Amino acid sequence: MPKGYNGTILRVNLTSGTISTETPDETLFRRYLGGGGLGAYYLYKEVPPGADPLGPENKLIFMTSVINGAPLSGANRYSAVAKSPLTGGYGEAEAGGYWGPALKSAGYDGIIIEGQSDAPVYLDVNEGSCEIRDAAQYWGQLADAVQHGLEEEIGDKKIRVLQTGIAGENLVRYAALVNQQRHFHGRAGLGAVMGSKKLKAIVCRGRKRMEPASKEDAQGVFKWFKETYDKAADPRHDMGTAQGVRHLDADGILPTYNFRDGSFADALEISGERMRDTILVNRGTCHACVVACKREVAVEGTDITAEYGGPEYETIAANGSLLGIGNLKHIAEANKRLAQYVLDSISTGAVIAFAMECYEKGIITDEDTGGIALNWGDESVALQLIDMIAKREGIGDILAEGVKRAADRYGNGADHYAMHVKGQELPMHEPRGKRSLALAYATSPTGADHMEAPHDPFYESFDPQGFSALSSLGLIEPVDRLDMGPKKVKAYYYTQLVWTLYDTVGMCDFVGEPINDLLIDKLGVYVSAVTGWNVSVWEMLKVSERTNMLKRAFNVREGFTPADDNLPERMFEPLMAGALEGVAIDKGEFAEMLNLYYDMTGWDRETGFPTKAKLIELDLEWLA
Amino acid sequence: MPKGYNGTILRVNLTSGTISTETPDETLFRRYLGGGGLGAYYLYKEVPPGADPLGPENKLIFMTSVINGAPLSGANRYSAVAKSPLTGGYGEAEAGGYWGPALKSAGYDGIIIEGQSDAPVYLDVNEGSCEIRDAAQYWGQLADAVQHGLEEEIGDKKIRVLQTGIAGENLVRYAALVNQQRHFHGRAGLGAVMGSKKLKAIVCRGRKRMEPASKEDAQGVFKWFKETYDKAADPRHDMGTAQGVRHLDADGILPTYNFRDGSFADALEISGERMRDTILVNRGTCHACVVACKREVAVEGTDITAEYGGPEYETIAANGSLLGIGNLKHIAEANKRLAQYVLDSISTGAVIAFAMECYEKGIITDEDTGGIALNWGDESVALQLIDMIAKREGIGDILAEGVKRAADRYGNGADHYAMHVKGQELPMHEPRGKRSLALAYATSPTGADHMEAPHDPFYESFDPQGFSALSSLGLIEPVDRLDMGPKKVKAYYYTQLVWTLYDTVGMCDFVGEPINDLLIDKLGVYVSAVTGWNVSVWEMLKVSERTNMLKRAFNVREGFTPADDNLPERMFEPLMAGALEGVAIDKGEFAEMLNLYYDMTGWDRETGFPTKAKLIELDLEWLA
């Protein structure tokens, strides 16, 4: 009889200073697998409705997964989950790197942080133990200083450090979390939640090794991956996520000037090719991953070194084309500062773009800015605003609240320029030119999120054997990226389950893409090999459905309704430049798309809540 | 690039005598895989609503599958599909043996028989060709004579012969089809459809070999099966399906005296153990299968030889306990006659039981029977009735119509003793003691059918690694066989998809059971290996859903409504004897169970038709 899975959750109450552990029944691990699945479960169970996201009732939950830390490319991601101060709803963000496997090596599958400390503290999680330690000396420090300080204090360069930054301390509503200075939980404002708890950092270290139930099967998948993955053919290895800039621009879907345009005159200046040929110094990676999509850049004559990693595509677009800035060196500087303050680079760029457009329209005035002219393309102003937001100085204090609250504050039609859903700023992907994103942004439990599902190019390149296709789910017909019909809804629904799964077992989407749809089957084999269960793709995708329903239910309990599943008004207006100039989303078609998605996933159209039959199917009767 | 799948369908119009072939797009094979999937597709598309099941508009469709004929235990089954003369709705029945692989070897994936011949004919399907030949000499002959006659006429003992019998010629509404005298398409009256077309037999022969896209992967599954299957531990190998008699009797769910009782005094006399120790002469098998669950019996001093195979459990119970007969030798004789006439042994036994109980109650009188006393337990009367039914002699002409029509004919409350759903007689499994069968019988598109899903013992033996469990679908909790709650409905819904899949790819359930839930994953690997596609369990079970919806839609088009999803009244009355004496199904609970099943599968409660969202998800918009 193969062994099952035993996991341990660490629980730390910062109000009382108590630390405990618990070993949930194996069934819980099998039903939720980890990551966003287990995170959503604990959040729903333990955080009372109406809790203040920045108060002691909110909990900050870190979850690895049953396979996290295994020697398999991509299987190193983990989830941070809390009620979001940005949306007031379900908040979740994943990160890769080394911290998740380090937590697992320390003997824990996850950590649940409760309450609030009076004074700054950090956690030292070390080989089956956990200590709450004084962090006064790290409070108010930049991320690099905190990382190095902790390494020195503990006397070990191999510790893995997760931290919130100055932005989080100052409760910037889109403050991020980061591990090892460059692996971000970017979205949902989880850095502010950690800041509100006066928890500066969590250090992990340990030597516990994962022992798969079947070494042979686990090694089989590892071997398959090594044989199948073609580094030379993967543009993400060569150029990182920035490889997309050139294509998106050509296709008219590179968010530019706060989503007014879909193409940017200086796109090639901020492209992956340009980065590779100029400032790139190294191709970094995460635990056990051969894809190595992480960039490391340095700019001569500046303090921008490989230590801060390098800008991802999202950072490039949000702090480049979105602001009318076509200079990679500026973006590298912005990237460094965002990393130092630990800010979400997407929301920060989107907030600055919002401010620049409002300034252009006369909604934000020199009086509001203290005399700073917020002109498109002004690099030094963009950098200044990053500083002011992180420190909540001047107009930065308003912008630190995110575009939704800032638009409410300014009025005068400012909301027209606030590109957000449920309060979370739009990522750098254009729903008018990739229509699955209309669904993704509108219905994601965390607000606008580009990581809900693979984007439309997946659906339109359907050679059944082809790159990126998910034919193994039976999606064997191409669907045009501008299509909003039934086939698009179905393709989105199925592929969303796959990406939810990735965020549940802690697998990286960027490993999934180059390997295409074979990975999903191999994941089933791998999860089975590690746990000793016999898990099919069917069961895994039902875990995804379960997880998505739970997140949905969380939001409904917090007062969200179907009316919140919407898009910024600009998405229904024509793009002003680029290959898709003049193209807008039709409101009627969008409404139909939403209705069908509700019906297909099993959400009631009136309440937005999962139907009873769906809850029963997914073992979630207790939510009803 | 691995090759895809190319299949050929043979189309024979018996009215015009035209023969043609067609090679559907690969997509069709991928969406339906074969068997009941492809069969239901063609039936829905091609048979007009309201068509007479015994008229020229009905079609008789035989479908193998993309893996049929592969050298893998169990992968030899194929489906016969037509509008059923018994129910007036969707009709389907599978058979194993050798005929499916022989059709494949002849170069065809399936045959669609259209129209009606004036005179008896048979088809000779031979290595990529097909001829319509005179069958006058075989008309009115017993199955053994037909088999031997065709072998002699063609001069080849290795031909594979599928035939309808005298019962089919006489349009007995539950006439069966048989290949090689012992592998039956038992249910739905398809033998009558073949008889109505004056098509006596289909001979298949050929030497075309299956070439899997990946030999290595296909051999891997084959090797896994050989290593995993434990013949010694499988009671089906030792005792065939008859192994169940003893257990069912002990559990109080052996249908006895027309479902009045759940236990039979002479159960051990008709048990698998008794058969093994007395009349068993050989353990037969199907193409490439090591399970070898087929029995071959002989009775000294009689003409019962191994040629007629041996009685399956269904035959034993329907012609034994159901009639109060506790004599294996009698059952072997009945089995021989049923095989010779090619009658469904379940419906035939059930019809006789109905007649015996009606006789006991005075509803059927000596006048009706022509003086034959239909007493419980009378072996010679039971045999006499088989003859009379097949030949439509005397009362046999009425009983040949099935219990529903016979009850209508006799009136006086006879319908209370007519154990059927939608006109098809109940198989030998007791819904009062295995509650998933309440759902199965009520909602199966073919009327009462015990092959819709694994029965309740599957759901209650949930060691996640254990025998028979389907834990790989996430069914990891035991559910009691008497439970009718949400967990039972879910377990039934999921496992039904698996068994539908088996009937679609032509895999035998009896291979699935001893190997337990690992098989479903391996099937995905195998289908992928053979076709070159990349098919996950998710995709395969969605094929099952698609298939089930199509069958449902067919019935709704024929006028079926949710009111037809019901059970015989006796199921709501207490069992009169056995371990479950006094136990009945609660009508209110049953109604709730049905409603939840409708909601979960995506059937509208009012119309019984699949919901629009479900149709879209399953690429069935064209049905709406």
Side-chain angles (χ1 to χ4, degrees):
Chain A
M1 179 90 69
K3 72 163 187 173
Y5 188 83
N6 301 303
T8 303
I9 308 289
L10 180 63
R11 191 179 285 274
V12 179
N13 188 304
L14 295 174
T15 302
S16 62
T18 50
I19 295 173
S20 61
T21 59
E22 49 208 56
T23 53
D25 190 83
E26 183 177 11
T27 306
L28 189 75
F29 286 100
R30 183 145 186 187
R31 287 250 166 84
Y32 294 95
L33 293 173
L38 274 179
Y41 173 82
Y42 280 108
L43 195 76
Y44 191 95
K45 284 271 187 182
E46 300 191 1
V47 171
D52 176 4
L54 300 175
E57 284 186 328
N58 198 8
K59 301 196 180 184
L60 181 58
I61 301 168
F62 298 96
M63 284 291 159
T64 67
S65 80
V66 295
I67 63 166
N68 184 295
L72 180 67
S73 283
N76 54 61
R77 290 173 74 80
Y78 64 103
S79 302
V81 171
K83 184 172 178 182
S84 166
L86 194 58
T87 68
Y90 179 76
E92 175 187 323
E94 277 67 38
Y98 299 86
W99 190 86
L103 177 60
K104 212 83 185 279
S105 300
Y108 302 106
D109 287 72
I111 311 180
I112 300 173
I113 311 285
E114 307 175 339
Q116 280 180 334
S117 173
D118 290 330
V121 293
Y122 79 90
L123 298 185
D124 182 19
V125 181
N126 179 13
E127 200 75 42
S129 77
C130 173
E131 261 182 64
I132 302 174
R133 291 196 181 163
D134 178 46
Q137 60 179 312
Y138 304 117
W139 204 249
Q141 298 294 311
L142 294 176
D144 34 7
V146 174
Q147 176 85 30
H148 301 151
L150 283 165
E151 286 170 0
E152 201 168 319
E153 178 186 335
I154 291 174
D156 183 353
K157 286 246 172 206
K158 287 190 175 155
I159 60 169
R160 303 302 183 181
V161 178
L162 171 92
Q163 61 171 306
T164 189
I166 289 170
E169 295 175 13
N170 291 328
L171 308 181
V172 175
R173 285 189 188 269
Y174 44 91
L177 298 170
V178 68
N179 81 62
Q180 300 299 104
Q181 301 180 250
R182 67 183 72 164
H183 303 283
F184 288 84
H185 303 264
R187 312 229 66 199
L190 302 179
V193 176
M194 191 150 156
S196 76
K197 298 194 177 302
K198 291 263 191 323
L199 177 63
K200 185 63 187 172
I202 305 177
V203 171
C204 286
R205 44 189 171 138
R207 278 178 304 266
K208 198 181 164 197
R209 289 182 61 144
M210 175 181 260
E211 293 295 339
S214 167
K215 265 194 184 164
E216 189 190 341
D217 288 355
Q219 279 165 355
V221 176
F222 179 70
K223 186 165 162 273
W224 164 83
F225 185 84
K226 262 181 57 181
E227 286 168 5
T228 308
Y229 178 63
D230 182 358
K231 207 180 243 185
D234 184 5
R236 282 212 176 77
H237 175 70
D238 185 30
M239 290 182 279
T241 50
Q243 59 93 17
V245 173
R246 193 167 54 87
H247 308 295
L248 293 171
D249 182 64
D251 289 347
I253 47 179
L254 179 70
T256 302
Y257 296 117
N258 198 31
F259 282 92
R260 196 191 67 194
D261 299 351
S263 180
F264 182 46
D266 291 330
L268 293 185
E269 295 295 323
I270 57 174
S271 66
E273 289 82 353
R274 179 58 53 95
M275 195 198 305
R276 177 191 63 198
D277 299 340
T278 57
I279 59 175
L280 185 71
V281 295
N282 196 19
R283 292 182 170 84
T285 192
C286 297
H287 173 88
C289 187
V290 301
V291 176
C293 72
K294 306 294 292 182
R295 302 300 88 173
E296 295 179 8
V297 302
V299 179
E300 227 170 300
T302 75
D303 60 352
I304 305 170
T305 70
E307 171 167 22
Y308 309 102
E312 299 284 347
Y313 162 72
E314 299 293 326
T315 308
I316 291 171
N319 296 275
S321 55
L322 201 73
L323 310 179
I325 294 174
N327 176 6
L328 255 189
K329 287 181 183 169
H330 159 79
I331 290 171
E333 172 65 24
N335 182 67
K336 183 198 75 184
R337 293 194 195 194
L338 292 160
Q340 287 178 315
Y341 294 130
V342 196
L343 270 167
D344 174 19
S345 66
I346 295 173
S347 283
T348 306
V351 162
I352 296 172
F354 159 81
M356 284 179 169
E357 192 162 14
C358 284
Y359 186 80
E360 180 185 61
K361 303 297 179 197
I363 297 169
I364 294 181
T365 63
D366 285 333
E367 199 182 327
D368 294 314
T369 66
I372 307 168
L374 306 184
N375 292 320
W376 293 119
D378 189 323
E379 297 175 10
S380 67
V381 162
L383 294 175
Q384 193 178 352
L385 285 176
I386 291 174
D387 295 342
M388 291 171 78
I389 287 168
K391 296 173 185 169
R392 282 192 175 265
E393 289 172 357
I395 192 175
D397 193 36
I398 293 163
L399 297 182
E401 295 289 291
V403 295
K404 184 184 173 208
R405 288 176 175 81
D408 287 348
R409 159 78 175 65
Y410 289 116
N412 286 316
D415 60 335
H416 191 79
Y417 309 105
M419 299 294 115
H420 75 91
V421 177
K422 296 184 177 69
Q424 176 154 282
E425 288 76 17
L426 256 58
M428 298 302 110
H429 298 272
E430 175 56 80
R432 282 169 291 188
K434 296 194 270 186
R435 297 293 167 84
S436 71
L437 288 171
L439 266 186
Y441 288 179
T443 62
S444 165
T446 55
D449 188 342
H450 62 296
M451 300 300 276
E452 277 294 298
H455 303 178
D456 300 65
F458 273 75
Y459 314 138
E460 60 181 12
S461 64
F462 269 111
D463 173 0
Q465 306 299 335
F467 177 82
S468 290
L470 279 162
S471 73
S472 72
L473 302 187
L475 297 171
I476 53 173
E477 280 183 318
V479 189
D480 188 87
R481 64 185 76 192
L482 295 187
D483 186 282
M484 294 178 77
K487 284 185 195 312
K488 177 65 65 68
V489 175
K490 175 189 171 175
Y492 175 74
Y493 169 40
Y494 279 21
T495 57
Q496 183 194 26
L497 296 179
V498 175
W499 278 31
T500 299
L501 176 67
Y502 289 163
D503 287 347
T504 304
V505 297
M507 173 55 65
C508 184
D509 315 297
F510 294 165
V511 169
E513 287 192 22
I515 292 293
N516 78 48
D517 57 350
L518 289 163
L519 184 65
I520 177 91
D521 302 288
K522 295 295 180 186
L523 255 186
V525 177
Y526 203 76
V527 170
S528 300
V530 168
T531 59
W533 305 327
N534 180 27
V535 175
S536 72
V537 172
W538 177 273
E539 177 175 359
M540 293 197 304
L541 295 186
K542 288 294 173 183
V543 171
S544 295
E545 273 201 88
R546 179 176 298 125
T547 300
N548 288 341
M549 289 297 167
L550 203 48
K551 296 170 186 175
R552 181 83 188 169
F554 183 90
N555 280 351
V556 172
R557 193 172 68 174
E558 293 296 336
F560 286 78
T561 73
D564 295 300
D565 293 342
N566 211 334
L567 294 172
E569 197 59 25
R570 179 163 271 175
M571 296 300 118
F572 304 111
E573 299 166 359
L575 273 159
M576 299 300 280
L580 294 182
E581 189 177 335
V583 168
I585 293 174
D586 180 84
K587 270 196 185 173
E589 284 181 48
F590 175 64
E592 269 186 51
M593 197 185 194
L594 263 180
N595 277 337
L596 179 57
Y597 179 75
Y598 269 49
D599 293 347
M600 215 180 262
T601 51
W603 292 348
D604 183 89
R605 287 193 193 182
E606 301 300 317
T607 64
F609 200 75
T611 62
K612 193 181 160 200
K614 209 47 158 167
L615 291 178
I616 287 171
E617 188 199 333
L618 300 170
D619 311 297
L620 292 173
E621 303 93 311
W622 52 275
L623 284 180
Chain B
M1 179 90 68
K3 72 163 185 174
Y5 187 82
N6 302 304
T8 303
I9 308 288
L10 180 63
R11 191 180 285 273
V12 178
N13 188 303
L14 294 174
T15 303
S16 63
T18 51
I19 295 172
S20 61
T21 59
E22 49 208 55
T23 53
D25 191 84
E26 183 177 11
T27 307
L28 189 75
F29 286 100
R30 184 146 183 184
R31 286 250 168 83
Y32 295 95
L33 292 173
L38 273 179
Y41 173 82
Y42 280 108
L43 195 76
Y44 191 97
K45 285 269 186 183
E46 300 191 2
V47 172
D52 176 3
L54 299 175
E57 284 186 329
N58 198 8
K59 301 197 179 182
L60 180 59
I61 302 168
F62 297 96
M63 284 290 158
T64 67
S65 79
V66 295
I67 64 166
N68 184 295
L72 180 67
S73 281
N76 54 61
R77 290 173 74 82
Y78 63 104
S79 302
V81 171
K83 185 172 176 180
S84 165
L86 194 57
T87 69
Y90 179 76
E92 176 187 322
E94 278 66 39
Y98 299 86
W99 190 86
L103 177 61
K104 214 78 187 280
S105 300
Y108 302 106
D109 288 71
I111 310 180
I112 300 173
I113 311 285
E114 308 175 339
Q116 280 180 334
S117 175
D118 290 330
V121 292
Y122 78 90
L123 298 185
D124 182 20
V125 181
N126 179 13
E127 199 78 40
S129 78
C130 174
E131 260 183 67
I132 302 174
R133 292 196 181 164
D134 178 47
Q137 60 180 311
Y138 304 116
W139 204 250
Q141 299 295 311
L142 295 176
D144 34 7
V146 175
Q147 175 85 29
H148 301 151
L150 282 165
E151 286 171 0
E152 201 167 317
E153 178 186 338
I154 291 175
D156 183 353
K157 285 247 173 207
K158 287 191 175 155
I159 59 168
R160 304 301 183 182
V161 178
L162 172 92
Q163 61 172 308
T164 188
I166 290 172
E169 295 174 14
N170 291 327
L171 307 181
V172 175
R173 286 189 189 270
Y174 45 91
L177 298 170
V178 68
N179 81 63
Q180 298 300 103
Q181 301 179 247
R182 66 183 74 164
H183 303 283
F184 289 83
H185 303 265
R187 314 233 63 202
L190 302 178
V193 177
M194 191 151 156
S196 76
K197 297 191 177 305
K198 291 263 193 318
L199 178 63
K200 185 63 188 173
I202 306 177
V203 171
C204 286
R205 43 189 173 139
R207 279 179 303 268
K208 201 180 161 197
R209 288 183 59 142
M210 176 182 258
E211 291 295 340
S214 166
K215 266 193 181 163
E216 191 191 338
D217 289 356
Q219 280 166 352
V221 176
F222 179 69
K223 187 166 162 270
W224 163 83
F225 185 85
K226 262 181 56 181
E227 287 169 4
T228 308
Y229 178 64
D230 182 358
K231 207 181 246 188
D234 184 5
R236 281 211 178 76
H237 175 70
D238 185 30
M239 290 182 278
T241 50
Q243 59 93 16
V245 173
R246 194 167 54 88
H247 309 295
L248 294 171
D249 182 65
D251 289 347
I253 48 180
L254 179 69
T256 302
Y257 297 116
N258 199 29
F259 283 92
R260 195 191 69 193
D261 300 350
S263 181
F264 183 46
D266 291 328
L268 293 183
E269 294 295 322
I270 57 172
S271 65
E273 289 82 353
R274 179 58 53 96
M275 196 197 306
R276 178 192 62 199
D277 299 341
T278 57
I279 59 175
L280 186 72
V281 295
N282 197 20
R283 292 183 171 84
T285 192
C286 297
H287 173 88
C289 186
V290 301
V291 176
C293 72
K294 305 294 290 183
R295 301 301 86 173
E296 295 178 9
V297 302
V299 179
E300 228 169 299
T302 75
D303 60 351
I304 304 171
T305 69
E307 171 167 22
Y308 308 101
E312 298 285 346
Y313 162 72
E314 299 293 326
T315 308
I316 291 172
N319 297 276
S321 56
L322 201 72
L323 310 180
I325 295 175
N327 175 5
L328 255 189
K329 288 181 183 169
H330 160 80
I331 291 169
E333 172 65 25
N335 182 68
K336 183 198 73 182
R337 295 194 194 195
L338 292 160
Q340 285 177 317
Y341 295 128
V342 195
L343 269 168
D344 174 18
S345 65
I346 296 173
S347 283
T348 306
V351 163
I352 297 172
F354 159 81
M356 285 179 169
E357 193 162 13
C358 284
Y359 186 79
E360 180 186 59
K361 304 294 179 199
I363 298 168
I364 293 181
T365 63
D366 284 332
E367 200 182 329
D368 294 316
T369 65
I372 308 169
L374 307 184
N375 292 320
W376 292 121
D378 190 322
E379 297 176 10
S380 66
V381 163
L383 294 174
Q384 192 179 353
L385 285 177
I386 292 175
D387 294 343
M388 293 171 79
I389 288 167
K391 298 174 183 169
R392 280 191 176 268
E393 289 172 359
I395 192 174
D397 194 34
I398 293 164
L399 297 182
E401 295 289 289
V403 296
K404 185 184 172 208
R405 287 174 177 82
D408 286 348
R409 159 77 175 67
Y410 290 114
N412 286 318
D415 59 334
H416 190 80
Y417 309 104
M419 299 294 117
H420 75 91
V421 177
K422 296 185 178 69
Q424 175 154 281
E425 288 74 17
L426 257 57
M428 297 302 110
H429 298 271
E430 174 55 80
R432 282 169 289 187
K434 296 194 270 185
R435 298 291 166 86
S436 71
L437 288 172
L439 266 185
Y441 288 178
T443 62
S444 165
T446 55
D449 188 342
H450 63 296
M451 300 300 276
E452 277 295 297
H455 302 177
D456 301 66
F458 273 76
Y459 314 139
E460 62 182 11
S461 66
F462 268 110
D463 173 1
Q465 307 297 335
F467 178 82
S468 291
L470 278 162
S471 73
S472 73
L473 302 186
L475 296 171
I476 53 173
E477 279 182 319
V479 189
D480 187 87
R481 63 184 77 192
L482 295 187
D483 186 281
M484 295 179 76
K487 284 187 195 312
K488 177 64 65 68
V489 176
K490 174 189 171 175
Y492 175 74
Y493 169 41
Y494 279 21
T495 57
Q496 184 194 26
L497 296 179
V498 175
W499 277 30
T500 300
L501 177 67
Y502 289 164
D503 286 348
T504 305
V505 297
M507 173 55 65
C508 183
D509 315 298
F510 294 165
V511 169
E513 286 191 23
I515 292 294
N516 79 48
D517 56 351
L518 287 162
L519 183 67
I520 178 92
D521 302 288
K522 296 294 181 187
L523 255 187
V525 176
Y526 203 75
V527 170
S528 301
V530 168
T531 58
W533 306 327
N534 181 28
V535 174
S536 72
V537 172
W538 177 273
E539 177 175 359
M540 293 195 305
L541 295 186
K542 288 295 172 181
V543 171
S544 294
E545 272 201 90
R546 180 176 299 123
T547 299
N548 288 341
M549 289 297 168
L550 204 47
K551 297 171 186 175
R552 181 83 188 169
F554 183 90
N555 279 352
V556 172
R557 194 172 68 173
E558 293 295 336
F560 286 79
T561 71
D564 295 301
D565 294 342
N566 212 332
L567 293 173
E569 196 60 25
R570 178 163 272 175
M571 296 300 119
F572 305 110
E573 298 166 359
L575 272 159
M576 299 300 281
L580 294 184
E581 189 179 334
V583 169
I585 293 174
D586 181 85
K587 268 197 185 173
E589 282 182 48
F590 175 64
E592 268 187 50
M593 198 185 195
L594 262 181
N595 277 337
L596 179 57
Y597 179 75
Y598 270 48
D599 293 348
M600 217 180 260
T601 51
W603 291 349
D604 183 89
R605 288 194 194 180
E606 300 301 318
T607 63
F609 201 74
T611 63
K612 194 182 159 198
K614 209 46 160 170
L615 291 178
I616 288 172
E617 189 200 331
L618 300 170
D619 311 297
L620 292 173
E621 303 93 310
W622 53 275
L623 285 181

